[in-house]
Structures are given as structure tokens and as C-alpha cells.
Amino acid sequence: MIEQNFRQIQEKIKQSKQNANRTDEVNLVGVTKYVDTNCARQSVEAGVKHIAENRTELFLEKYQALSDLEITWHLIGTLQRRKVKDVINLVDYFHALDSLRLAKEIQKRAERIISVFIQVNISGEESKHGISADELVDFVISLKECDKIKVVGLMTMAPLHASEAELHVYFSKLRECRDIVSNLKLSYAPCTELSMGMSQDFEIAIEEGATFVRIGSQLFK
Ligand SMILES: *Cc1c(COP(=O)(O)O)cnc(C)c1O
């Protein structure tokens, strides 16, 4: 089943790239938060190279159980400062940097340079985490003192009930923000990547330039 889902998603990714005339890479990140380590293992054996969890406990559980496999590890959820030390040196990409206080804790605990995405609240919904688009440039500049942090890109979550047209607007706005940050030419913020798109909206995200799509329910249905 998982193998079949994986192939279907790959096909959709390919199609969306074609629709957008894209030849660059789109990385499929398998989100395993709904499933056990056995299912996560099956997905990697089917060809998924990137695995993501949104909670530190589940991250550590999967990380330990799958240590024999070659996996690029992502932490995609809100990270409490007191838990930074438990996981930050194990993750390859952290997707939810949203405050200077969190950045400073990462700076303090990091034993190497940590690749992060800044989470942007592109829709402006109050319930959503993330830096507002207006504050983004100042925030990126404030990270200068954190030399253990490398801003590889921006991440967002679209509102649950957005229409297709609205999704195009949100995702293209994140792309514009990405271009603004990368044009600052800061050595610690190349900001070339876009982590956007989940099971319900990844095709639109790819049309708008996503380079990492985070897919859970459609992979493990
Ligand atoms: C759960 C989750 C996903 C995957 O959601 P699906 O709709 O199941 O694909 C992606 N990103 C984040 C941050 C999540 O928490």
C-alpha cells in the first residue's frame, strides 16, 4: 500500500512540475506522525528519503528505531525551547524557527551548523505560528549573531479551508518572501528553499515553487 501511495505521489509531483515547467528538484518529505515505526520503515524501503516528525518524543522514537537506514531527518513542528537540546543535533533540517528566543537556544545547544527554515505566517491567521511577512527581513537580520544557524529557506502552512485560488496566492507570497531574503545575500541565509504543501495542497505548492513538500496522510492512507 505505502509503496503504491508513494508511486502515485511521485507521479503527481512529476505532473505538477511539468505544469510549471520546472526541472529543479522537489523533495518529498514523508510525515510519519500518524504511523508507527514499522510503517515509517516501509516508506523508506519503498524509496522515501526524507522523514519528518512534528514532536520531539516521536522524532526520537523514530530516529532510534530507524538508525540502520539512510534517512534525511526533518523536525517540522513547533519546538519548545527546553527540548532543543534533546533533538537539535540529530535533525538535518528544522522547519519551524519562529522567534529570536528559540534561535538563541539553538545557537547555545548546537554542536554544528543547523539548517533551518523560518516559519512564516503568510495568511496572517491568529492561530498560526510563524513570523509575519512584514517582520521577516528584520528577523533574518537579527539572526546574524547566531553563527550556528543557517537559513536554508522559508516554510509555511496554508489555512485548512483555503480555496485553490487562495492557495496560489499564499504560496506565491511565500516565494516572493524567499526571493527578498535570498536577495539580501547574507552568508548565513542563502534562503533558496521553500517548504510548503501538504497532502491536500502540495500540487499547487509545487506549481508555485515548493522544493520540499511535507506529506503524511496521502502517503500512509
Ligand atoms: C502533519 C503535518 C504535515 C502533513 O500533513 P498531511 O496533511 O497529513 O499531509 C505537514 N506539515 C506539518 C507541519 C504537519 O504538522
Side-chain angles (χ1 to χ4, degrees):
M1 272 321 270
I2 292 172
E3 201 177 335
Q4 200 181 332
N5 298 342
F6 174 59
R7 267 191 264 113
Q8 280 172 0
I9 294 166
Q10 272 188 314
E11 198 48 49
K12 289 179 183 170
I13 290 174
K14 196 173 141 196
Q15 193 59 54
S16 303
K17 280 177 64 174
Q18 271 172 16
N19 293 346
N21 279 317
R22 289 183 56 186
T23 52
D24 57 332
E25 196 163 358
V26 175
N27 298 286
L28 165 58
V29 181
V31 179
T32 52
K33 66 187 182 195
Y34 314 111
V35 300
D36 61 18
T37 50
N38 194 36
C39 288
R41 175 175 292 277
Q42 280 178 44
S43 73
V44 176
E45 284 167 354
V48 175
K49 296 187 169 64
H50 299 262
I51 293 289
E53 276 292 342
N54 69 333
R55 292 184 29 213
T56 49
E57 296 75 16
L58 294 175
F59 179 91
L60 291 169
E61 188 186 306
K62 300 279 196 317
Y63 185 88
Q64 276 148 18
L66 305 179
S67 61
D68 57 312
L69 300 174
E70 199 164 307
I71 294 171
T72 301
W73 289 97
H74 299 252
L75 188 64
I76 57 179
T78 312
L79 178 58
Q80 289 172 289
R81 276 180 300 141
R82 65 186 168 84
K83 294 188 176 167
V84 167
K85 62 178 180 311
D86 302 335
V87 287
I88 203 65
N89 290 297
L90 305 180
V91 308
D92 294 299
Y93 294 94
F94 172 55
H95 289 240
L97 181 63
D98 64 354
S99 75
L100 191 55
R101 291 173 81 198
L102 179 58
K104 284 182 173 164
E105 182 64 16
I106 293 172
Q107 171 70 18
K108 185 171 153 193
R109 303 293 182 176
E111 291 161 6
R112 56 170 168 84
I113 292 186
I114 309 295
S115 293
V116 308
F117 288 84
I118 296 172
Q119 184 167 356
V120 182
N121 181 356
I122 213 79
S123 63
E125 282 180 298
E126 271 189 29
S127 60
K128 284 258 188 309
H129 289 278
I131 304 282
S132 76
D134 293 342
E135 293 165 341
L136 180 61
V137 165
D138 285 345
F139 179 67
V140 174
I141 289 170
S142 73
L143 294 175
K144 185 178 166 61
E145 59 191 282
C146 302
D147 62 4
K148 293 273 179 35
I149 290 181
K150 177 180 174 188
V151 179
V152 296
L154 304 181
M155 178 273 214
T156 201
M157 289 175 79
L160 261 185
H161 301 292
S163 67
E164 278 199 20
E166 287 167 338
L167 289 168
H168 278 285
V169 171
Y170 293 136
F171 292 143
S172 67
K173 273 193 180 159
L174 193 72
R175 187 186 62 232
E176 285 162 17
C177 287
R178 191 267 319 260
D179 293 343
I180 288 169
V181 174
S182 66
N183 282 331
L184 297 173
K185 309 271 183 221
L186 300 167
S187 57
Y188 60 90
C191 200
T192 51
E193 308 301 321
L194 282 174
S195 169
M196 59 189 194
M198 316 190 348
S199 289
Q200 298 311 315
D201 55 23
F202 73 90
E203 290 158 287
I204 295 173
I206 290 170
E207 290 178 11
E208 296 297 345
T211 59
F212 288 82
V213 289
R214 311 177 308 266
I215 300 182
S217 35
Q218 208 172 123
L219 183 59
F220 296 105
K221 68 188 172 194

